[in-house]
Amino acid sequence: MTSLQPADRLAGLPRLGVGLSYQAPLRGFVLEHLDSFDFLELIPDIFWADQGRGAPDRYRESVDAAPFLARVAASKPLIAHSVGLSIGSGDPFDAAHVEQIAAWQERYGFPWHSDHLSFNRLEHVTGHFMDTGVTLPVPFDHEVLDLLCERVDRVQARIPVPFLLENNVYYFEIPEQDMTEAEFLNRLTERTGCGLLLDLHNIYTNARNLGFDPWSMLASLDLSRVVEVHLGGGMEVDGVWLDAHSGPCPEEVWAMLEEVLPRAPRLCGVVFEMFGNYYPQVGPEPLLAELGRARRVLERRAA
Amino acid sequence: MSLQAFQQALTDLVMSPALRARVAEDAHGQLAGYDLSEQELRRLAALAADPRVRTPTFLHRAFRLSMLANTVPRTCKVLGPGGIRELTHAWWAAGPPRTMQYLKEAQLFADFARGRLRDGSFQNDFLEEVLDTELAMLALGRSGLTWEPGTRPVPDDLAFRVLHLHPACRAIAWRHEPDAVLAALDAGRPLDGLPSGDHCLLLAAEGGGRLLLKTFRGEPARALLAVDGARPGGEICAAHGVPGRVLAELLEAGWLGSTVQ
Ligand SMILES: [Fe+2]
């Protein structure tokens, strides 16, 4: 059970500013351009090899992770954005993963941490570790909401800093759902007191591909729970807009950020996401440009 | 009826366009093996016919392909677009990804590819040697072990001592000149016409992620590939036609070690 009033959980968080989402090919950029961002968001799961549930010594941490992270952590706050919990999975809750995140939270002092509102792992049914590599949607149903609320409570009971869930990108809609996505997210954050990691490019992608109005979705979302925003770019392939994190943010996403800011009093960080494999082709300039633009938007709001 | 069963069926639909086509025709029959409610069945039947599910299929395959492209890039070059398509589609049809670890996925793919080469259902003269080399490079790079150059004393009773490769070394059998093949791959040149011949490519981890590559032919190549950590020097000499002096040189250089039986 939650021990605090839901609204209290997000109080007093540090306003970190502009964050960069870390990917291995960005290691050089991170060390050379430390001034271009205020904090580094990392996917902790890329720094260890998960041997699967029940395996002895389950999380084998890569040997070069600690020196690099310690170096960045000396000058910038770190935030964890995990892909390993698979919180929407029908599998039993993965308490060992939460323990691993708790250990890293203690080590690196993440002011908050997050994961994806989706499922990508199914181990119980298949009897062996399986990860689709794609965050698949869960039905926005009452039953799933109950399951998620209970799991969010367990994460929050174990890790002493706020937990955020990120709205998913999905390319198809599950028919006959009990709620809209906005209703589902509103109830989830209200019932558990968790925060929302609002990925605006995910909303843009979903709206563009599935033909709904992103502005009316934003209008019906309770943005008071937003602690972090994700920005990113994509590309069109065969008529489908992909959340590829392949380059600059579309103008409409910047406009969505402007819409969100005055309605998100608890917002503490805006993170730009770019898939590392594009970095060798595009170089540092687009990253610097997007981080700089995000900073100017935040500064204008603060003024 | 459970969320697990629904998610398993949904995942199977995402991973398999062939299953989607069958479910679109006969949802009840095709999904009978999953413990689903009527509503879950309706949902899955609708999704099986929904062309938008093709995108997560594409993304899932791109993810699996990226696991190979990031771990065994030269193997991908050896295969070329046509070979990759043929082999990965057969590999994916054989089962879902069982690991998030890129190295393990590459090893499982390597086992699959070797099986196809062995049973003759796939042919590529360069695949096995390049794949084995890349996997050995990855394993050595992560081992944390180090080989150091220098001369070592050679024991007098080599014939009776069990020989093993230095733990920071791997010996890979090649049927072509390794340097020529690796240089052609890195330069994007075709491999056709490169000379064949038995070689051994020795990899040694030098620490700090650096690897030393050294090519051997003839007797030393046969000796390096024969050493198995079980047989004494005398037996290896007799079985593989290698003079004792060759073993002694490999020991002196530090590629091999020995233990008393
Ligand atoms: Fe995101």
Side-chain angles (χ1 to χ4, degrees), chain A residues 93-264:
Chain A
F93 182 67
D94 193 353
H97 186 271
V98 180
E99 287 302 320
Q100 174 70 4
I101 297 291
W104 272 48
Q105 193 282 321
E106 205 169 307
R107 192 189 304 169
Y108 294 108
F110 311 134
W112 69 82
H113 71 110
S114 61
D115 209 308
H116 298 69
L117 205 173
S118 58
F119 80 98
N120 52 307
R121 294 185 172 184
L122 273 185
E123 191 162 7
H124 205 69
V125 182
T126 50
H128 56 70
F129 192 92
M130 191 193 75
D131 193 314
T132 59
V134 182
T135 54
L136 291 170
V138 292
F140 298 132
D141 289 354
H142 293 289
E143 197 186 330
V144 176
L145 180 65
D146 290 343
L147 177 82
L148 283 170
C149 286
E150 188 218 310
R151 290 179 169 188
V152 169
D153 283 346
R154 289 182 68 177
V155 174
Q156 295 185 138
R158 176 64 188 88
I159 301 179
V161 296
F163 178 51
L164 326 180
L165 278 173
E166 181 185 29
N167 59 299
N168 194 24
V169 62
Y170 43 87
Y171 295 91
F172 57 84
E173 271 175 312
I174 297 171
E176 300 180 40
Q177 300 186 96
D178 294 346
M179 283 166 262
T180 65
E181 183 179 16
E183 285 167 343
F184 191 88
L185 293 171
N186 290 348
R187 289 185 194 195
L188 180 69
T189 54
E190 188 191 331
R191 275 174 57 177
T192 63
C194 79
L196 186 60
L197 195 180
L198 188 67
D199 189 315
L200 294 176
H201 190 257
N202 285 356
I203 294 178
Y204 172 84
T205 303
N206 296 342
R208 185 167 164 161
N209 291 330
L210 299 167
F212 67 81
D213 177 12
W215 300 100
S216 63
M217 183 195 165
L218 276 183
S220 51
L221 255 184
D222 173 9
L223 299 181
S224 73
R225 309 304 303 178
V226 175
V227 172
E228 184 182 327
V229 162
H230 272 183
L231 303 173
M235 61 167 94
E236 195 175 282
V237 176
D238 293 338
V240 178
W241 185 261
L242 297 179
D243 177 42
H245 297 174
S246 48
C249 212
E251 282 307 317
E252 198 169 354
V253 174
W254 287 111
M256 288 162 74
L257 177 64
E258 300 278 2
E259 159 75 17
V260 165
L261 290 178
R263 292 175 48 207

Side-chain angles (χ1 to χ4, degrees), chain A residues 43-73:
Chain A
I43 298 168
D45 313 71
I46 67 172
F47 294 100
W48 58 62
D50 183 350
Q51 309 298 310
R53 288 186 193 229
D57 185 21
R58 175 173 168 185
Y59 296 98
R60 296 196 190 145
E61 297 183 11
S62 76
V63 283
D64 58 347
F68 169 71
L69 293 176
R71 201 168 151 191
V72 180

